[in-house]
Amino acid sequence: MKYLEFDTPGTAQAGDLKSRFDLSNHGLIHLDRVFWNLPAAALVEEATFRKEGHLAHGGPLVVNTGKWSARAAQDKYIVREDSTENRIWWGEYNRPFDPDKYSSLIARVQAFLQDEELFVQDCFVGADPEYRMPIRVITEHAWHSPFARHLFIKPASLDDYQSHVPEFTVMALPSFRCDPRIDGTRSDTAIIINFAQRLALVCNSMYGGEIKKSIFTVMNFLLPLREVLSMHCSANVGAGGDVALFFGLSGTGKTTLSADPRRRLIGDDEHGWSSTGVFNFEGGCYAKVIRLSSEHEPQIWATTRRFGTILENVVQDPTSRRLDLDDDRFTENTRAAYPLDFIPNTVPEGVVYSHPKNVILLTCDAQGVMPPIARLDPDRAVYHFISGYTSKIAGTEIGLGIEPEIAFSACFGAPFMVHHPFEYARMLKENMIRHGAQCWLVNTGWVGGGWGVGRRISIRHTRNLLNAALEGKLNDVAYRRDRLFGFEVPLSCPEVPEDVLDPSNSWGNKDDYWRRYDALVARYIDNFKLFESGCPKEVADAGPKRLKEAAGVPRS
């Protein structure tokens, strides 16, 4: 478009909110035009003018991310240099990248961007002023700019924009393809974080989540060094100041369950727990919207009919422009990005100076054997937090099929955790004990059999169980001790049928149930071997026992 030499809708205002710390500081010179910190309305105009997306009924911008409709989890790297060498837990999710290869790659990127148009958003990550970090997001596509503007925290004034100096920068470059022969990458797609240069590259992926999760990974490295627990969780707060944390992977219900009209939402995905309280990393939400229901998730559903929301890979009728949230032809991982204030009843400042009273570990058990809720003591909380059992739901990562896969994701966010998982778990346990928080394991998965046989547990039952836990209504009920895991399962709960609390009741064949449950325990035990050497003995001892070892324990 630039070769035609005509103005686009935002040309006249492109530099009005320009920072004095310009792009030459990132080695980006001889650029064609830079659009600095444009507001969402101007960026939507730019995106539609450039045919990056279409407006749908009600006003949201619908974009298609093409091949990359989920995270490229196998293509993420961290540059191995002095500041990271002995601090990163190198392995499957934290792949080392050669610093010389990185230097060569960034030089090619800088040359590639000459004469190009770019969009910049100067923002902050971290709502607590004590831990807030200025960041910059540089993008090729117009729609990535409001995405960043929604997800992070905006400066408050013109002076804030002009004086903004980022401490970390993300460059999202979908049209730049890596060359594995030259760059040492696995493919032509790469997400590379360099802590020494305070720079992250997202190459050859249009999926907006890569921008968001790159910054989350950065916070997961930096904050624990300051003894602040960084968490992949949503959070809300009750009228009495009682904070609740909801840990879980995509598809387990973090966003849905924390958007409770009776409680104020702090944030839907990423938080820090400091010595003074809980704070949101972000200024917006990035919610899954596949098969979203106006009945069960009215607040999130309403954002999909609102101007300013960005919808990724959602199907719409080209004539009526009406959405079909049930259509998964592009991906199961359809997403909505919107500012936090699109949800009513939020904490606008994003920080609550009080401590959690309840910690919820959400698991999506596709085996159909886990109870819908269980109470965990601190050591079992650490064991389950490190294990991070769930099922990967189709669409959240490239390469997943239709059927959910058993998964163990440490800290319920392994791809983004850069220290050994016990470092995060240690801080969680210490904070829980110090502030008297109770931990609950909540299953939002299947009942009556595994995937394809049983059915997904009723969201109404899950909400009633959670409300009872948060309101203290489960404090005085009778509990049974689970035969294999040893955690406590309530025998009753207000507004929940008693037979729901024992998953074996919904299985036609109890022997099949116990075989499946025992097989899941075996997977837990095998998985924990990856972490055992870095954990104290009491954590390993808090793990489950195989059926043959639990022979003396009465069946539930």
Side-chain angles (χ1 to χ4, degrees), residues 72-78 93-95 191 193 217 415-417:
Q74 301 301 312
D75 295 297
K76 176 187 166 187
Y77 305 90
I78 296 175
Y93 296 113
N94 299 308
R95 299 170 183 83
I191 298 88
I193 300 175
T217 303
F416 323 115
M417 303 298 162

Side-chain angles (χ1 to χ4, degrees), residues 127 132 153 237 264-267 280 282-283 340-341 343-352:
R132 179 175 296 170
I153 299 167
V237 59
R264 291 193 299 155
L265 181 69
I266 304 172
N280 193 358
E282 301 178 306
L340 189 63
D341 61 15
I343 298 290
N345 203 30
T346 61
V347 177
E349 58 274 21
V351 58
V352 174

Side-chain angles (χ1 to χ4, degrees), residues 167-190:
E167 293 180 15
F168 221 99
T169 298
V170 177
M171 293 188 194
L173 312 172
S175 65
F176 182 88
R177 294 191 174 191
C178 298
D179 187 334
R181 299 167 301 175
I182 299 172
D183 302 317
T185 55
R186 187 186 70 96
S187 70
D188 55 6
T189 297

Side-chain angles (χ1 to χ4, degrees), residues 340-540:
L340 189 63
D341 61 15
F342 278 19
I343 298 290
N345 203 30
T346 61
V347 177
E349 58 274 21
V351 58
V352 174
Y353 294 108
S354 62
H355 295 280
K357 294 303 179 187
N358 291 280
V359 175
I360 315 297
L361 308 183
L362 295 168
T363 181
C364 176
D365 174 35
Q367 306 305 300
V369 294
M370 296 286 275
I373 192 168
R375 187 169 64 184
L376 308 181
D377 60 39
D379 286 328
R380 285 189 172 88
V382 168
Y383 182 92
H384 283 273
F385 181 68
I386 290 176
S387 298
Y389 167 63
T390 191
S391 302
K392 287 185 179 179
I393 305 299
T396 55
E397 286 185 15
I398 292 171
L400 289 181
I402 296 174
E403 182 175 352
E405 298 178 4
I406 286 180
F408 293 91
S409 187
C411 309
F412 293 92
F416 323 115
M417 303 298 162
V418 289
H419 300 288
H420 188 284
F422 182 68
E423 286 301 303
Y424 304 99
R426 173 189 61 80
M427 285 187 277
L428 178 67
K429 179 181 177 181
E430 291 174 357
N431 284 350
M432 286 175 53
I433 292 173
R434 185 179 299 119
H435 302 293
Q438 178 61 62
C439 186
W440 306 88
L441 182 68
V442 174
N443 173 24
T444 63
W446 274 255
V447 293
W451 182 90
V453 176
R455 66 187 186 281
R456 195 83 185 255
I457 190 170
S458 163
I459 192 171
R460 177 171 53 86
H461 290 333
T462 300
R463 283 194 183 280
N464 288 339
L465 287 163
L466 273 175
N467 290 338
L470 298 181
E471 294 166 12
K473 295 178 181 178
L474 295 182
N475 290 346
D476 299 319
V477 303
Y479 283 79
R480 65 175 174 87
R481 188 164 293 279
D482 185 83
R483 186 181 183 195
L484 301 187
F485 279 93
F487 45 48
E488 296 177 304
V489 180
L491 296 177
S492 63
C493 176
E495 300 183 73
V496 178
E498 289 188 9
D499 63 337
V500 171
L501 296 170
D502 186 346
S504 69
N505 289 333
S506 59
W507 281 64
N509 187 315
K510 292 293 182 69
D511 289 336
D512 285 347
Y513 168 80
W514 285 106
R515 278 193 293 270
R516 182 70 70 90
Y517 203 10
D518 188 52
L520 178 59
V521 166
R523 295 287 295 270
Y524 259 92
I525 293 170
D526 284 345
N527 173 74
F528 199 78
K529 292 174 182 176
L530 299 171
F531 314 104
E532 201 163 0
S533 63
C535 297
K537 185 176 182 297
E538 61 266 22
V539 176

Side-chain angles (χ1 to χ4, degrees), residues 3 122 138 158 171 196 198 453 504 515:
Y3 301 114
D122 287 326
I138 302 169
L158 174 61
M171 293 188 194
R198 296 288 179 131
V453 176
S504 69
R515 278 193 293 270

